[in-house]
Amino acid sequence: MNIPQDLKYTKTHEWVKIEGNKATIGITDFAQHEITDVVHVELPENGKNVKKAQPTAVIESVKSAFDIYSPLTGKITAVNEEALGDPGLINQDPYGKGFLFTVEFSDNNELSDLLSAEDYKQLI
């Protein structure tokens, strides 16, 4: 299972890459294996305000539909348009081309709730 050390994680299997006050978010390699073949993705609108732990996106696979939760409170500043057209990117490259959205977060205190790679490894 691929769990990059430079990322943070949530208990609901999202990964978070922090760069300044922006966080890029996607689902983990573990999650995409569990979901199996992603066939559709619904992403939030650019500029939308999101709250930590609230459903923000939906991934549909051949198995079912899964809510994706925002790990941080803030404003959506980017969505992965490429994944909208090719949802399989989420399976092929979950930590790269398969990212879901970027949030400009407003509360640095929420970062302390994220898991380290080691903590996430123990969770799964």
Side-chain angles (χ1 to χ4, degrees), residues 11-109:
K11 292 178 181 175
T12 53
H13 308 289
E14 290 87 13
W15 59 262
V16 184
K17 181 178 184 180
I18 306 294
E19 296 174 301
N21 69 334
K22 293 197 173 159
T24 301
I25 295 149
I27 64 168
T28 65
D29 189 36
F30 173 82
Q32 71 83 20
H33 275 292
E34 292 293 306
I35 289 172
T36 66
D37 297 329
V38 177
V39 295
H40 182 74
V41 62
E42 293 177 26
L43 298 176
E45 290 182 28
N46 234 342
K48 178 180 179 177
N49 290 315
V50 296
K51 290 189 190 268
K52 176 185 168 188
Q54 295 299 308
T56 305
V58 177
I59 291 179
E60 293 179 32
S61 75
V62 293
K63 280 185 173 181
S64 187
F66 303 88
D67 284 332
I68 306 303
Y69 302 92
S70 180
L72 301 165
T73 299
K75 182 163 133 184
I76 301 293
T77 58
V79 295
N80 187 349
E81 300 286 342
E82 197 174 349
L84 289 171
D86 184 5
L89 289 172
I90 295 165
N91 293 117
Q92 296 160 16
D93 189 11
Y95 299 114
K97 290 185 178 186
F99 84 94
L100 299 176
F101 53 89
T102 301
V103 172
E104 186 175 326
F105 58 93
S106 52
D107 185 354
N108 285 336
N109 293 326

